[in-house]
């Protein structure tokens, strides 16, 4: 299976960043790793191997990015304003630098975006802030409540990175709502070990989506489904055909 590492300097973050590329073509997926992890996360924990058939047959190409979580979401006890600013810089790294780099390597379609655990938070943030850049979002086991990471602290920068805060204030006629409803949005969480906050915050996000008329698939798996890689393997393989089918339908019927 083809793979390579892209290394580049980020102006937004003022550091060298890396993106692992898997597969030679197909629908591009921008992939966020689990909390505090880097671009080899999906490979090291076996998810790339689980998707090798999709990657080998040209249906899927995955671009797994680095994170700066240790300087933002995970830095408990640090300067909250600086933590929020670092997250905003990371957001701009993704939309202003990583996405154009992905498009240089694969311009078949708008990239889908996916993430696991805290990576699901990142996926939802970039998708909901810039649905014009992405074809859909697959978010597994996220915790969509900024208070869980910042203990109730908030400022305008963090607000912009908190979908559970900014979506309720989005006007019902906002142009992004139409864009959301032209995309494939899938959010999933288990109801087993370590998923309690994920279930609670996803139900709240579902309520907000319903109030705004945003169409999405919210899937709550059973009480045996834990916050762990074996279940993410199963969920990814379960939802991936739905993501690819949506893209293929648009490809076949561009109007």
């Amino acid at each position: 299976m083809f793979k390579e590492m892209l290394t580049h300097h980020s102006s937004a973050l003022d550091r060298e960043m890396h993106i692992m590329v898997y597969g030679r073509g197909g629908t591009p997926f921008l992939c966020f790793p689990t909390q505090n992890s880097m671009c080899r996360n999906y490979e090291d924990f076996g998810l790339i191997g689980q998707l090798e058939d999709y990657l080998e047959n040209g249906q899927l190409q995955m671009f797994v990015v680095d994170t700066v979580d240790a300087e933002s979401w995970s830095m408990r006890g640090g300067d909250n304003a600086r933590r929020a600013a670092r997250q905003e810089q990371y957001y701009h790294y993704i939309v202003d630098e990583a996405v154009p780099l992905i498009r240089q390597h694969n311009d078949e379609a708008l990239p889908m975006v996916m993430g696991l655990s805290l990576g699901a938070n990142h996926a939802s943030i970039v998708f909901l802030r810039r649905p014009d850049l992405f074809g859909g979002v697959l978010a597994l086991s996220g915790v969509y409540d900024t208070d869980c990471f910042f203990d109730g602290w908030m400022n305008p920068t963090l607000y912009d990175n908190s979908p559970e805060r900014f979506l309720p204030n989005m006007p019902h006629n906002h142009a992004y709502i139409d864009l959301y409803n032209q995309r494939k949005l899938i959010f999933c969480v288990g109801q087993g070990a370590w998923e309690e906050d994920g279930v609670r915050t996803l139900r709240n996000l579902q309520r907000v989506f319903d109030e705004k008329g945003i169409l999405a698939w919210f899937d709550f798996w059973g009480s045996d489904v834990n916050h762990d890689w074996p279940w993410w393997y199963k969920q990814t393989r379960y939802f991936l055909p739905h993501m690819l089918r949506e893209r293929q339908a648009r490809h076949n019927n561009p109007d």
Side-chain angles (χ1 to χ4, degrees):
M1 178 186 62
F2 174 81
K3 69 175 182 179
E4 68 173 328
M5 177 185 283
L6 306 178
T7 301
H8 60 112
H9 179 79
S10 166
S11 298
L13 295 168
D14 192 24
R15 70 162 54 168
E16 188 174 85
M17 297 292 283
H18 309 89
I19 301 175
M20 285 299 301
V21 184
Y22 301 94
R24 292 189 179 277
T27 301
F29 272 68
L30 165 60
C31 304
F32 290 99
T34 56
Q35 188 167 4
N36 299 335
S37 298
M38 297 299 173
C39 63
R40 292 188 182 274
N41 179 241
Y42 283 26
E43 180 179 358
D44 290 345
F45 284 88
L47 183 56
I48 296 300
Q50 293 288 323
L51 302 177
E52 188 168 358
D53 53 338
Y54 282 98
L55 295 163
E56 287 278 24
N57 67 20
Q59 288 182 272
L60 171 67
Q61 188 174 34
M62 301 179 76
F63 297 81
V64 188
V65 297
D66 283 342
T67 74
V68 293
D69 294 339
E71 302 166 47
S72 55
W73 300 100
S74 302
M75 193 178 180
R76 299 295 183 92
D79 182 328
N80 284 337
R82 180 170 296 190
R83 293 171 63 200
R86 195 57 168 165
Q87 162 56 28
E88 181 70 4
Q89 291 169 345
Y90 183 67
Y91 162 79
H92 282 289
Y93 159 67
I94 294 296
V95 300
D96 297 335
E97 300 177 36
V99 169
L101 186 59
I102 290 170
R103 297 301 301 272
Q104 289 176 20
H105 286 77
N106 185 330
D107 63 356
E108 287 191 31
L110 292 177
M112 302 289 188
V113 59
M114 69 172 286
L116 315 173
S117 189
L118 186 57
N121 295 45
H122 285 300
S124 65
I125 290 166
V126 299
F127 176 82
L128 292 168
R129 289 182 68 175
R130 290 297 305 273
D132 55 311
L133 295 181
F134 302 102
V137 58
L138 174 60
L140 306 178
S141 296
V143 176
Y144 309 99
D145 187 342
T146 309
D147 289 350
C148 292
F149 301 92
F150 283 82
D151 301 316
W153 181 89
M154 181 59 62
N155 75 350
T157 303
L158 187 59
Y159 174 90
D160 287 341
N161 289 277
S162 308
E164 83 284 357
R165 298 292 186 96
F166 68 70
L167 276 180
N169 295 322
M170 181 178 285
H172 285 80
N173 62 351
H174 196 290
Y176 275 3
I177 293 180
D178 283 341
L179 271 183
Y180 298 152
N181 289 333
Q182 295 171 32
R183 310 297 194 231
K184 174 65 75 173
L185 286 67
I186 301 176
F187 296 84
C188 179
V189 67
Q191 299 183 74
W194 313 297
E195 291 280 53
E196 295 85 356
D197 284 335
V199 171
R200 175 182 58 80
T201 61
L202 189 56
R203 291 200 187 281
N204 180 61
L205 198 62
Q206 182 179 26
R207 177 186 57 78
V208 174
F209 273 47
D210 289 344
E211 290 174 354
K212 296 297 177 182
I214 301 170
L215 305 177
W217 180 359
F218 291 89
D219 210 353
F220 296 83
W221 286 28
S223 59
D224 60 329
V225 179
N226 302 328
H227 188 98
D228 206 354
W229 285 95
W231 286 107
W232 296 331
Y233 300 159
K234 295 177 181 179
Q235 291 166 353
T236 303
R237 288 201 66 93
Y238 178 76
F239 291 115
L240 192 56
H242 298 278
M243 302 291 289
L244 295 175
R245 188 180 308 132
E246 182 77 5
R247 184 262 171 182
Q248 188 62 44
R250 288 198 301 271
H251 179 76
N252 293 337
N253 300 285
D255 294 330

